[in-house]
Amino acid sequence: RLAAIDRLTKGRGYGEGGKRFALVTESGERHRKMDAQKMKFGLTRIHTKGVEDAVWVQTDQCRWTQSVQTVTLIVSHFPGHSVEAQDVDVVFKQQYLKISHRVTAQVYLEGALHRPILPAESLWYIDEGVLEVVLAKDLALYHSQSVVELSAWPRLFEFDDDLSDGDMEHDQTDLDPERKRRDDLAQLRSSQQAKYELAKRAAVEASGKEWHWVH
């Protein structure tokens, strides 16, 4: 039990007996976050102006990252320059993705997606021998409940392991402007309320009385 607690609070918990993925950079190198201590209380950093040194999740088939609107992935087992774009067959379905060779039928990536996408708005391309896919998320759940965190995928495919809190920081760069305005206003009000409560506490304690958060 102590070992489990130590793993959860001081490291990412991968390796032998751990999860079947690693945190890497876009180029596939080990990410510093693999060895970083987790934030307390399961908190995760949120970025609204881009993420420097963004975290990608390396699995058997690909490495992937996400923002509010999209999931971007780089296929691991694509042969590179030996295969032309016209030879690649990509199947987008609402909750399924398959990438294969049109002639040999070799499958480069396949699986049932953990969350639904918008097939008509998803795309793929080959750049310098690298096959990259951009999945457009179906944000029906996010829009119905107006909770930004519901846009984040805990895993890419159904058979993958879930990310832990804080593994991938939230990139909200592409959050719709109106929602961002409302969130910024709510954060400002929360900050102002916190300052008011702290000032009130200081005044009560200065008078020699005991402070209680509920009055």
Side-chain angles (χ1 to χ4, degrees):
R1 182 179 179 182
L2 291 176
I5 293 174
D6 187 65
R7 184 171 66 249
L8 289 171
T9 56
K10 295 184 179 179
R12 295 294 159 184
Y14 307 120
E16 187 176 351
K19 295 187 176 182
R20 298 170 298 161
F21 62 79
L23 305 183
V24 299
T25 63
E26 183 176 1
S27 62
E29 298 176 356
R30 182 184 177 90
H31 199 283
R32 56 178 173 74
K33 203 159 191 176
M34 283 286 286
D35 307 303
Q37 185 167 342
K38 294 184 179 182
M39 296 179 68
K40 295 181 178 179
F41 312 115
L43 297 177
T44 302
R45 289 186 176 88
I46 296 175
H47 301 268
T48 58
K49 298 181 180 180
V51 183
E52 293 185 7
D53 193 23
V55 171
W56 290 63
V57 180
Q58 181 70 61
T59 64
D60 291 337
Q61 297 195 93
C62 66
R63 57 183 177 273
W64 64 280
T65 192
Q66 65 180 314
S67 62
V68 173
Q69 304 279 353
T70 64
V71 173
T72 302
L73 61 95
I74 296 174
V75 182
S76 298
H77 304 299
F78 185 67
H81 295 284
S82 62
V83 177
E84 301 293 335
Q86 60 266 26
D87 296 323
V88 178
D89 183 35
V90 179
V91 177
F92 292 116
K93 294 185 179 180
Q94 186 179 34
Q95 212 154 340
Y96 174 80
L97 174 63
K98 180 179 180 180
I99 303 174
S100 60
H101 195 287
R102 291 184 183 276
V103 178
T104 67
Q106 179 183 356
V107 176
Y108 304 125
L109 178 146
E110 183 179 18
L113 296 167
H114 179 58
R115 296 270 180 87
I117 63 170
L118 303 174
E121 297 181 21
S122 299
L123 57 91
W124 66 275
Y125 57 90
I126 298 176
D127 182 27
E128 297 294 327
V130 176
L131 198 163
E132 191 161 333
V133 181
V134 180
L135 303 175
K137 295 180 179 178
D138 183 341
L139 298 173
L141 182 63
Y142 154 59
H143 288 304
S144 66
Q145 300 189 32
S146 296
V147 178
V148 178
E149 286 70 23
L150 292 176
S151 70
W153 289 21
R155 61 182 183 267
L156 179 60
F157 292 112
E158 285 289 12
F159 49 73
D160 289 334
D161 289 332
D162 277 351
L163 296 171
S164 299
D165 290 334
D167 281 347
M168 181 183 287
E169 297 175 359
H170 294 310
D171 179 5
Q172 297 183 3
T173 307
D174 57 358
L175 184 67
D176 59 273
E178 175 58 23
R179 177 54 195 266
K180 185 177 184 303
R181 185 192 68 80
R182 286 187 279 121
D183 284 354
D184 288 345
L185 182 59
Q187 185 176 10
L188 177 62
R189 288 172 175 168
S190 177
S191 176
Q192 291 173 336
Q193 180 64 25
K195 289 179 181 178
Y196 169 74
E197 292 293 339
L198 289 173
K200 186 166 67 171
R201 175 179 180 176
V204 170
E205 291 179 339
S207 67
K209 298 179 181 179
E210 186 176 354
W211 169 259
H212 299 282
W213 283 108
V214 180
H215 289 275

